Amino acid sequence: MSDEQFMKEAIRLAIEGVKAGHGGPFGAVIVKDGEIIGRGQNRVIIDNDPTAHAEMVAIREACRRLGHFQLESCVVYASAEPCPMCLGALYWARPSRIVFGSGREDAASISFDDAFIYRELDHHHSQRHIPTEQIMREEALKAFQAWVEKEDKTRY
Amino acid sequence: MSDEQFMKEAIRLAIEGVKAGHGGPFGAVIVKDGEIIGRGQNRVIIDNDPTAHAEMVAIREACRRLGHFQLESCVVYASAEPCPMCLGALYWARPSRIVFGSGREDAASISFDDAFIYRELDHHHSQRHIPTEQIMREEALKAFQAWVEKEDKTRY
């Protein structure tokens, strides 16, 4: 199957999800060795879960299927440009390639304001719309110390 | 309870998670009206889920508890500065405040390279380390059109 056929499936999932009332108009598929190993639709509304974007749902399904927390040699097809949350998740999952359909400006035009979040991430935490502060850094570093000292850890 | 006490709980969860082998050294709690309604530890390793960061786990638990996809009037305490994925998720969940302990430079010093992902998000998609391309925009916009035309939709 071609890029176009996998993208078509992502778009089909997006439209199906809208019609079913699962959430916003977004779909994604994850492909390894030419086979779809993860499918996702936005499920924010039906699951009451703000993290249930199509890419996240597909990543979680694909990783479950692979039994691994990385998407090595996988290609991710998303019907729309990943928002910062999903793009961050993709960077942790490390697929080999990402293909998307509509862009962040298109999403903004129907009131999904990914572009706003992209801008917020660039600001220092003291200057964001959601008030954010740092406290107890020294105490918090004890958790990192516990990690450094753990001998049998799995790195990721 | 004070900010310090809630942060202490987030740090305790982080250390407990490392010792149990659940994942990286990160913990989070979500508080509403002075009560903890969501707790999270990093579970990337134990769940084979790259999206299972402490904040994500806590957001999902709190939203389940509230029966809603938003964290209105909630405060999020994270033992470490949220990565782009988690910060993106927090922007979708919209708590009233975010408090964190250690910073992204501290995380980079123990090889959790959030800072790299923050930089990548700033690049145009054609210039990222994970090759990314846009195709079939017109076709993909049909999903947005389906959303626009849906009359009984829940906005989020």
Side-chain angles (χ1 to χ4, degrees):
Chain A
M1 280 174 73
S2 64
D3 277 354
E4 284 67 26
Q5 285 169 299
F6 290 125
M7 178 59 82
K8 239 186 169 98
E9 173 63 3
I11 296 168
R12 187 192 70 74
L13 287 164
I15 293 172
E16 181 187 85
V18 171
K19 289 188 176 154
H22 293 169
F26 306 97
V29 299
I30 296 177
V31 172
K32 182 164 179 144
D33 300 331
E35 191 202 341
I36 294 178
I37 60 165
R39 280 184 169 79
Q41 279 172 337
N42 184 295
R43 297 185 57 86
V44 168
I45 294 166
I46 198 169
D47 287 348
N48 280 322
D49 181 355
T51 75
H53 284 198
E55 298 92 322
M56 307 293 278
V57 174
I59 289 169
R60 302 180 82 210
E61 181 179 311
C63 285
R64 251 195 320 271
R65 180 93 69 100
L66 295 175
H68 194 53
F69 50 78
Q70 300 233 305
L71 294 174
E72 208 187 308
S73 308
C74 294
V75 184
V76 177
Y77 297 85
S79 66
E81 185 176 355
C83 79
M85 171 179 72
C86 293
L87 193 55
L90 289 168
Y91 266 85
W92 290 117
R94 302 193 187 108
S96 60
R97 198 157 67 94
I98 300 168
V99 184
F100 67 89
S102 55
R104 67 180 81 170
E105 299 76 13
D106 297 320
S109 76
I110 59 161
S111 301
F112 287 96
D113 208 355
D114 302 23
F116 165 69
I117 302 180
Y118 271 103
R119 286 194 304 276
E120 282 286 290
L121 263 63
D122 271 347
H123 295 158
H124 185 264
H125 69 259
S126 63
Q127 301 185 325
R128 297 212 183 105
H129 276 76
I130 299 179
T132 303
E133 57 198 300
Q134 181 171 21
I135 67 172
M136 295 170 67
R137 174 175 171 262
E138 288 302 322
E139 180 97 5
L141 287 175
K142 289 181 187 162
F144 286 4
Q145 194 55 37
W147 176 257
V148 169
E149 287 167 5
K150 187 177 174 68
E151 292 184 359
D152 60 341
K153 62 181 166 270
T154 304
R155 288 168 198 284
Y156 67 94
Chain B
M1 279 173 74
S2 64
D3 277 353
E4 284 67 27
Q5 285 169 297
F6 290 125
M7 178 59 81
K8 238 186 170 98
E9 174 63 3
I11 296 168
R12 187 192 70 73
L13 287 165
I15 294 172
E16 182 187 83
V18 171
K19 290 189 175 153
H22 292 169
F26 306 97
V29 299
I30 296 177
V31 172
K32 182 164 179 145
D33 300 331
E35 190 201 342
I36 294 178
I37 59 164
R39 280 184 169 79
Q41 279 172 336
N42 184 296
R43 297 183 58 86
V44 169
I45 295 166
I46 198 168
D47 287 348
N48 281 323
D49 181 355
T51 75
H53 285 198
E55 298 93 320
M56 307 293 278
V57 174
I59 288 169
R60 301 180 83 211
E61 181 178 313
C63 285
R64 251 194 319 269
R65 181 91 70 101
L66 295 175
H68 194 51
F69 51 76
Q70 301 233 305
L71 294 174
E72 208 187 308
S73 309
C74 293
V75 184
V76 177
Y77 298 85
S79 65
E81 185 177 356
C83 78
M85 171 178 72
C86 293
L87 193 55
L90 289 168
Y91 266 84
W92 290 116
R94 303 194 187 107
S96 60
R97 198 157 66 94
I98 300 168
V99 184
F100 67 89
S102 55
R104 66 179 82 170
E105 298 77 12
D106 298 319
S109 77
I110 58 161
S111 302
F112 287 96
D113 209 354
D114 303 23
F116 164 70
I117 303 180
Y118 271 104
R119 285 193 304 276
E120 281 286 290
L121 263 63
D122 271 348
H123 296 158
H124 185 264
H125 70 259
S126 62
Q127 301 185 325
R128 297 212 182 105
H129 276 75
I130 299 180
T132 303
E133 56 196 303
Q134 181 171 22
I135 65 172
M136 295 170 66
R137 174 176 172 262
E138 288 301 323
E139 179 97 5
L141 286 175
K142 289 181 187 162
F144 286 5
Q145 194 56 36
W147 176 258
V148 169
E149 287 166 5
K150 187 177 174 68
E151 291 184 357
D152 60 340
K153 62 181 167 271
T154 304
R155 288 168 198 284
Y156 67 94

